Structure formats: structure tokens, C-alpha cells
Amino acid sequence: EDKVVQSPLSLVVHEGDTVTLNCSYEVTNFRSLLWYKQEKKAPTFLFMLTSSGIEKKSGRLSSILDKKELFSILNITATQTGDSAIYLCAVSGWGSQGNLIFGKGTKLSVKP
Amino acid sequence: DTEVTQTPKHLVMGMTNKKSLKCEQHMGHRAMYWYKQKAKKPPELMFVYSYEKLSINESVPSRFSPECPNSSLLNLHLHALQPEDSALYLCASSQDLIRSNQPQHFGDGTRLSIL
């Protein structure tokens, strides 16, 4: 059965800290792994990863995929209070008709 | 604001009412999705449309009826809902299901409360 496990489930840090969020997965015919940030409304797309070892970077956020060990990490450096959100990891497989399997998310709280 | 627009943002309805949720995108995407999200849970897929045809129905009760009148619009018709159907309903779209590997983009959702 396809599944996604995120850790930790919640995390409290102070502004300026660096955090690493983890996502491990099992999926048939892996297609892609996606990271989303969800505050109060829509999940906002952050990254899509399809190849191992290639880091994707956007400002203070970066992510990398390890297809051999079946996991991905999302790094946030110099955290700010605006980074407080739930970070969702999702995977899809070829032939799954676009079905995204979501993890339970990591709730990040950044204190001033 | 996202490029996927959902209306209404909030909806309160009784168990005997009939209402519809609407979703619109103008990115030329040919795959559209409905998700249900309960509090403190991840989104759960309900329906997938590909080129205006229903591709996936994840065993959703018939009181939820999707409709895709054209490539830009996706509706979710609601009838005789139960209190446990109260949730955030998210619409998403992506370029294509088969040929391209592109991310899904979500709307802001409709927060539905059933009295």
C-alpha cells in the first residue's frame, strides 16, 4: 500500500534557527514527490522532485530526494515567523491517475 | 491568491439543502481534482477529471456529485449532506495526468459547515 510518513509531526523553533523536515515514502512506480506549505487555506506548492540527489532551492528553502532510500528532506534556514505553517509531503506514482498520497504533515511554529 | 479560484469561500447549509461548489482555472490545465480536508488532517482525494472526463471516484458517497462542464470549470453538487461532511473542500488543477509531470495547484478552498 502506498504511504507517506512525515517527521516530526510538530516542531517549535525560534527565529533564525535552521530546521529539517523529513518525508519517507512507499509508492508503486514512483513519479514525483511534492512539498506544499499550508497556512490557513490552500496548500501552496513549494517543490516537485523527480530525480535523486538534485537539490531544489528557493530562497531560504531547499529540498532533496533520495530515491534509493525513499525519502526527502525540506530544509529551511534562518527561519522567520512567517514560516509557521503545516508542511505537507505528497507522492504520486505513474498510472495512479494523478492521485497524490499525502503525509500527515509537519506543523512548524517559529517563535519570535 | 491562487490561480485556482473557488467559490464560495464559506458555506453553511442544512442537511436537506442542495448547493454547489465551484472551481475555475484559466491556466489551460486539463486535469482537475476535488479534495476533502478535515481539521488537522491532510487532504483526501475525492474525484479526478482528465480532459473533462471523470477519471477517479474515490468511493465518494452519491450525495456528492461532480461535474466538469468545460476545461476551465469544475463543480461539486451537494445534496442531503451529513454533519460529518463539514470540512474544507479543495479544488486543484494540473497540466495533464498522463503526458506531463507537473504539480497540482490548489485553490483556497470552500469551508463547508453542515447544520
Side-chain angles (χ1 to χ4, degrees):
Chain A
E1 182 183 337
D2 297 343
K3 65 179 181 180
V4 175
V5 178
Q6 291 186 245
S7 64
L9 291 181
S10 67
L11 188 56
V12 180
V13 300
H14 287 94
E15 274 191 314
D17 288 349
T18 293
V19 297
T20 298
L21 309 183
N22 303 294
C23 176
S24 63
Y25 65 89
E26 294 178 24
V27 67
T28 304
N29 293 324
F30 175 84
R31 180 176 183 173
S32 58
L33 183 145
L34 298 94
W35 284 98
Y36 288 90
K37 175 183 181 183
Q38 187 172 27
E39 297 173 85
K40 291 185 178 175
K41 293 183 179 176
T44 304
F45 171 72
L46 295 175
F47 299 112
M48 186 170 78
L49 304 157
T50 57
S51 301
S52 267
I54 300 174
E55 185 184 52
K56 294 229 173 171
K57 199 168 170 64
S58 176
R60 297 176 293 103
L61 276 67
S62 64
S63 183
I64 198 161
L65 175 67
D66 185 328
K67 288 168 74 173
K68 183 179 176 186
E69 300 297 331
L70 305 183
F71 78 90
S72 173
I73 59 172
L74 175 69
N75 278 322
I76 309 175
T77 59
T79 52
Q80 302 171 357
T81 54
D83 296 326
S84 297
I86 295 173
Y87 290 84
L88 293 166
C89 175
V91 294
S92 72
W94 289 103
S96 68
Q97 303 281 2
N99 188 7
L100 283 180
I101 310 296
F102 281 90
K104 292 184 176 180
T106 293
K107 183 177 180 181
L108 175 65
S109 299
V110 182
K111 304 292 186 188
Chain B
D1 288 342
T2 73
E3 294 181 79
V4 178
T5 304
Q6 289 188 243
T7 56
K9 293 190 188 305
H10 301 274
L11 179 61
V12 179
M13 57 187 285
M15 289 190 284
T16 57
N17 292 155
K18 284 185 182 181
K19 296 284 185 184
S20 297
L21 309 185
K22 296 186 184 302
C23 175
E24 190 168 0
Q25 58 85 16
H26 294 289
M27 296 180 280
H29 288 175
R30 303 312 297 270
M32 296 186 76
Y33 313 77
W34 280 116
Y35 288 85
K36 174 182 177 180
Q37 187 175 25
K38 301 283 277 184
K40 300 184 181 180
K41 300 280 188 183
E44 294 178 357
L45 185 69
M46 299 174 73
F47 303 104
V48 180
Y49 272 82
S50 175
Y51 289 83
E52 296 95 72
K53 287 186 168 39
L54 184 63
S55 181
I56 291 183
N57 175 342
E58 288 286 348
S59 303
V60 179
S62 59
R63 57 187 185 268
F64 295 91
S65 175
E67 178 198 17
C68 190
N70 61 56
S71 60
S72 300
L73 292 174
L74 185 65
N75 298 322
L76 186 62
H77 303 298
L78 314 172
H79 174 55
L81 295 194
Q82 304 297 311
E84 62 265 27
D85 297 322
S86 298
L88 180 68
Y89 287 83
L90 292 163
C91 174
S93 71
S94 66
Q95 188 168 16
D96 191 291
L97 275 191
I98 307 299
R99 287 173 294 178
S100 75
N101 194 9
Q102 294 295 320
Q104 294 179 25
H105 294 273
F106 286 83
D108 280 341
T110 293
R111 192 160 297 281
L112 177 66
S113 298
I114 307 300
L115 301 178

